[in-house]
Amino acid sequence: MADVPDNAPEHCPGTTSEQAGKSASCQGCPNQKLCASGATKAPDPAIAEIGAKLSTVKHKILVLSGKGGVGKSTFSAHLAHALASDSTKEVALLDVDICGPSIPRIMGLEGEQVHQSGSGWSPVYVDDNLAVMSIGFLLSSPDDAVIWRGPKKNGMIKQFLRDVDWGELDYLIVDTPPGTSDEHLSIVQYLSSTHVDGAIIITTPQEVSLQDVRKEIRFCQKVKLPIIGVVENMSGFVCPKCKNTSQIFPPSSGGAEQMCADLNLPLLGKVPLDPRIARSCDEGRSFLNEVPDSPAAEVYRRIVQSIQDYCSNRVTEEQSTT
Amino acid sequence: CDSNGVYGSLAQVRHVVLVLSGKGGVGKSTITTELALALRHAGKKVGILDVDLCGPSIPRMLSVGHTDVHQCDSGWVPVYTDAQKSLALMSIVVWRGPKKTALIGQFVSDVAWGELDVLLVDTPPGTSDEHLAVLENLKKHRVDGAVLVTTPQAVSTGDVRREITFCKKTGVRILGIIENMSGFVCPHCSECSNIFSKGGGEELAKLTGSVFLGSVPLDPQLSSSIEEGKDFIQSFPDSATFSAISSISQTLLNSLQMT
C-alpha cells in the first residue's frame, strides 16, 4: 500500500485501488479526476525503466535479514570484496538502507560524494572493478538524519535503481534494510521486471533472531524470490588467549542449522565472531585482506564460492531451457 | 478508570521514556527488558510498550508469548508478568501501510496502563515513519526523554549520531546513552575480548554533550535468560552484568526524578 500520497485526504483508497477516484473520501480531492480516469492504475513506468537499466547486470543478489544488526552490511561488503578479488569481474554494491546507511564507512568511503553525469548518478569506486552506491553519500554530515516517510523512501529507492550509471556488471549486490517493511516490498516490486538470481539471508544463532528470519523467508516465498541460502553470523567466539569456544549468542533452538533443515534451505556457512571483523569494518578495510588466514575468512571464502556456483549454475540452467 | 483518550490512559503514568537506537540489533529490546526488570527490582511499577512493528520480541523475552490480550471498559488490558502487577506489557501486532501510524496513535491511547512509575517504549530501529508516529502521538502526553542504545563500534555510533539529530529536530530530551555488547570475559580464562571494540558509547556521549549511563558487557548468561524468558536480574544477582544494569537504572531514575 505504498500508493497513498503524502498529502492525500483521510481514508484515501490509494491511487492504484479499484476505488480510486470513486470513494466518498475522493470528493473534493484535486486529483479525483486523474484517479477516476484510471491513469494511476497502470503499472509504474519506472519498473520497465529499471528493467532496461539493469539489463546490463548479469547477476543480482539481494542480502536480507529479518532482524537488524545481525551483520547484513558486513556480509554484503565482504561478499563484494571477495567477488571483486577476481579482477576480470565487475562488481557493484548498492546500499538501500535509507535510515542507517553504514556501507560508506565499512567500505572506507566516508565523506565521498556522488557525481551526476549525463547518464545518471556515478557510483563511487573502491577499486577499478568495485563500485558502491549508498544514501550515505547524499548526506552532508555524519550527524544528518534521514527522516523520511514511506512514499519518499520509495521514490529514493526507485531513483537508486533507475538512475545510477552502473555500466556493464557481473554482480550487483543489494544490501537491504532489515524487516519486511514497505522498502522491501518496493525493492522487490521494482526489480520484478529484471532477473534477480536470489536472496541471501543473514541471521544470528538465537531464536529471537530466527523467529524474525522465518518471517523474512515466508516473505521471499510469497513474492517468489528464490533463496540462495542462509548464513549464520556471530556463530561462537574463540577466545584468542585460551582458544576455548564460547556461544555468546546461544543457538537455543538449534540455530540456523536446525531452521535450514526444517525449511529445506541450504545453510551456506557459519561465520564465527572475531574482534578483527568489527575493527576492519570500522576502519573501512576488507577483513579478508587483513587477516586472510583466520577461520572466519576461510568460512567467508567457502560461502562466496557457493554463491558463485549458484549464479553460474543458474546461467547454464537458463541456457539449457532456451 | 476513565476513557478520555491519551490523557486518560496515560494520566497515572509518572514518567515516559523512549528507548531508541540508530541501528537495529544493538540489543534495544534486551536493554528495555532488563531496565524494566531492574526498575521493578528497585520497587517501581513499570510498563513496557513494544512498538517494534517489524519484529516484536519482548513478549518472548518475558515469557508471555501466547497470552491473549483482553479488553475492558477503559481499553486494552496490558499483560502482567506477575501477581503483584508490577510489570505490565503491551506489544503491537504487525500492521502495514498508511493505516499503521494511525493505529499506533490509537494503540498508545487505548491501553489501560493504570498507575505506573515508568513506562518504557521500545521503538523500531531507525528514524522512520514509525518513529515519527510514535513521537507525535506520545508528545500529546509528556515524554520525559529518550535513552539511546548503541554498540561500541563506529559503525553503530555513527547511526546513533543521526538518531541524536533526530531527537534534537523533534524536541525530545536525551536522558543518556547506554553502550551494549561492551567486551566479553571468557568464562574459561577470564580474558576480556572487545569483540565489538570498546568505548564508542562514552566517546559519543562526550562528543554530543549527552550523559553516559553506562556499559553492559556481552554475557552468554544474559543471552540465554533472554532466550528462555527468564528474569536475569533474579537468576544472576552476583554477575557484573547485573551490577551494570542496576547502576544504569538507578542513574536513569535519578535523572527522571530531577525533572
Side-chain angles (χ1 to χ4, degrees):
Chain A
M1 287 291 284
D3 59 332
V4 175
D6 243 356
N7 52 356
E10 223 176 320
H11 309 300
C12 167
T15 53
T16 56
S17 126
E18 274 301 307
Q19 290 304 309
K22 295 174 196 157
S23 90
S25 57
C26 297
Q27 296 297 331
C29 175
N31 290 322
Q32 185 188 8
K33 265 199 188 130
L34 180 69
C35 279
S37 74
T40 53
K41 290 190 215 56
D44 190 339
I47 293 178
E49 286 168 38
I50 290 168
K53 188 80 180 185
L54 295 182
S55 61
T56 56
V57 179
K58 276 198 201 113
H59 300 293
K60 300 168 204 82
I61 300 168
L62 299 187
V63 181
L64 307 175
S65 77
K67 240 181 118 55
V70 298
K72 190 164 33 58
S73 297
T74 303
F75 180 83
S76 305
H78 285 96
L79 176 60
H81 276 300
L83 291 171
S85 65
D86 175 352
S87 59
T88 64
K89 300 286 183 218
E90 294 293 326
V91 181
L93 175 57
L94 173 64
D95 174 17
V96 281
D97 194 340
I98 302 255
C99 290
S102 44
I103 287 290
R105 178 179 276 271
I106 297 178
M107 298 301 279
L109 299 172
E110 263 201 327
E112 291 283 344
Q113 299 271 317
V114 170
H115 299 282
Q116 191 101 37
S117 76
S119 44
W121 281 340
S122 307
V124 177
Y125 285 85
V126 182
D127 270 315
D128 287 343
N129 65 335
L130 180 52
V132 178
M133 187 65 188
S134 164
I135 184 82
F137 298 147
L138 305 175
L139 303 177
S140 51
S141 94
D143 293 322
D144 261 11
V146 187
I147 311 178
W148 283 340
R149 293 172 186 254
K152 267 199 197 162
K153 282 194 275 194
N154 292 336
M156 182 50 82
I157 290 166
K158 196 194 294 183
Q159 244 184 323
F160 262 36
L161 293 171
R162 187 187 57 193
D163 297 345
V164 178
D165 181 23
W166 295 111
E168 295 271 331
L169 285 182
D170 292 286
Y171 292 99
L172 174 67
I173 300 154
V174 185
D175 182 21
T176 64
T180 47
S181 60
D182 294 352
E183 276 121 282
H184 275 86
L185 295 173
S186 47
I187 291 165
V188 174
Q189 200 183 3
Y190 290 137
L191 290 174
S192 59
S193 63
T194 74
H195 139 118
V196 177
D197 290 69
I200 297 163
I201 293 175
I202 316 291
T203 182
T204 53
Q206 319 97 287
E207 178 56 28
V208 266
S209 172
L210 292 169
Q211 74 182 19
D212 283 357
V213 165
R214 285 195 198 94
K215 272 185 227 157
E216 187 75 32
I217 291 170
R218 278 198 294 276
F219 167 79
C220 289
Q221 288 164 341
K222 212 166 112 190
V223 297
K224 301 206 164 51
L225 180 65
I227 295 170
I228 302 176
V230 178
V231 172
E232 182 176 280
N233 198 22
M234 308 193 190
S235 176
F237 171 68
V238 180
C239 175
K241 197 172 165 205
C242 69
K243 309 291 174 207
N244 276 305
T245 302
S246 299
Q247 297 301 333
I248 296 186
F249 300 110
S252 54
S253 61
E257 208 160 338
Q258 187 60 47
M259 181 190 73
C260 285
D262 293 344
L263 300 175
N264 197 20
L265 288 172
L267 177 65
L268 298 174
K270 298 202 259 185
V271 183
L273 278 164
D274 187 326
R276 292 169 295 188
I277 298 179
R279 203 182 311 144
S280 304
C281 286
D282 272 358
E283 291 167 1
R285 285 190 249 255
S286 164
F287 169 74
L288 303 176
N289 296 335
E290 297 283 296
V291 209
D293 51 353
S294 60
E298 181 52 41
V299 176
Y300 259 117
R301 276 191 292 271
R302 278 207 308 273
I303 294 171
V304 173
Q305 188 59 52
S306 354
I307 295 167
Q308 282 168 319
D309 293 348
Y310 175 94
C311 288
S312 50
N313 284 340
R314 215 178 135 88
V315 171
T316 21
E317 261 171 45
E318 271 179 13
Q319 279 164 349
S320 60
T321 51
T322 46
Chain B
C1 244
D2 64 338
S3 54
N4 301 332
V6 177
Y7 294 95
S9 65
L10 290 174
Q12 293 166 282
V13 177
R14 214 154 287 143
H15 301 288
V16 179
V17 176
L18 308 180
V19 184
L20 306 177
S21 77
K23 246 185 114 56
V26 298
K28 189 167 37 58
S29 299
T30 305
I31 294 287
T32 307
T33 306
E34 296 309 321
L35 270 182
L37 292 170
L39 288 169
R40 180 176 72 171
H41 199 74
K44 302 291 171 192
K45 278 196 157 212
V46 193
I48 301 177
L49 177 63
D50 177 13
V51 283
D52 194 340
L53 293 150
C54 292
S57 42
I58 294 194
R60 189 188 167 85
M61 294 179 177
L62 287 170
S63 317
V64 292
H66 299 289
T67 319
D68 285 325
V69 173
H70 300 284
Q71 215 167 357
C72 77
D73 294 343
S74 48
W76 296 100
V77 183
V79 178
Y80 292 96
T81 58
D82 55 353
Q84 293 80 39
K85 297 196 171 182
S86 57
L87 180 54
L89 169 70
M90 189 46 123
S91 180
I92 207 158
V93 271
V94 181
W95 289 309
R96 191 180 302 290
K99 283 213 180 118
K100 98 185 148 185
T101 48
L103 285 169
I104 293 176
Q106 211 182 337
F107 190 63
V108 170
S109 57
D110 278 1
V111 181
W113 290 110
E115 198 184 319
L116 289 181
D117 292 300
V118 183
L119 174 65
L120 299 170
V121 184
D122 184 24
T123 62
T127 48
S128 62
D129 321 24
E130 286 98 64
H131 270 86
L132 292 172
V134 171
L135 283 178
E136 277 162 17
N137 286 300
L138 284 172
K139 271 166 73 183
K140 293 176 199 155
H141 185 70
R142 146 202 48 78
V143 177
D144 290 71
V147 169
L148 294 163
V149 183
T150 182
T151 54
Q153 317 100 286
V155 170
S156 170
T157 56
D159 280 356
V160 176
R161 281 176 77 169
R162 285 188 280 271
E163 192 74 31
I164 290 171
T165 308
F166 170 77
C167 286
K168 286 183 180 157
K169 271 192 193 166
T170 47
V172 174
R173 188 162 82 101
I174 296 165
L175 294 166
I177 295 174
I178 298 173
E179 180 178 292
N180 192 26
M181 308 194 186
S182 171
F184 171 68
V185 178
C186 175
H188 306 283
C189 68
S190 303
E191 169 87 355
C192 181
S193 299
N194 294 321
I195 296 183
F196 299 113
S197 165
K198 185 153 184 73
E202 200 163 358
E203 249 167 66
L204 181 70
K206 272 194 201 133
L207 188 73
T208 57
S210 317
V211 178
F212 183 62
L213 292 172
S215 44
V216 180
L218 274 168
D219 186 337
Q221 286 173 330
L222 178 60
S223 313
S224 315
S225 300
I226 284 289
E227 281 278 66
E228 289 155 25
K230 282 191 191 141
D231 185 346
F232 175 77
I233 306 284
Q234 250 167 24
S235 313
F236 302 99
D238 300 326
S239 70
T241 312
F242 168 76
S243 57
I245 295 167
S246 67
S247 119
I248 290 170
S249 74
Q250 203 50 54
T251 318
L252 179 64
L253 266 184
N254 293 342
S255 76
L256 283 175
Q257 275 152 4
M258 280 192 297
T259 53

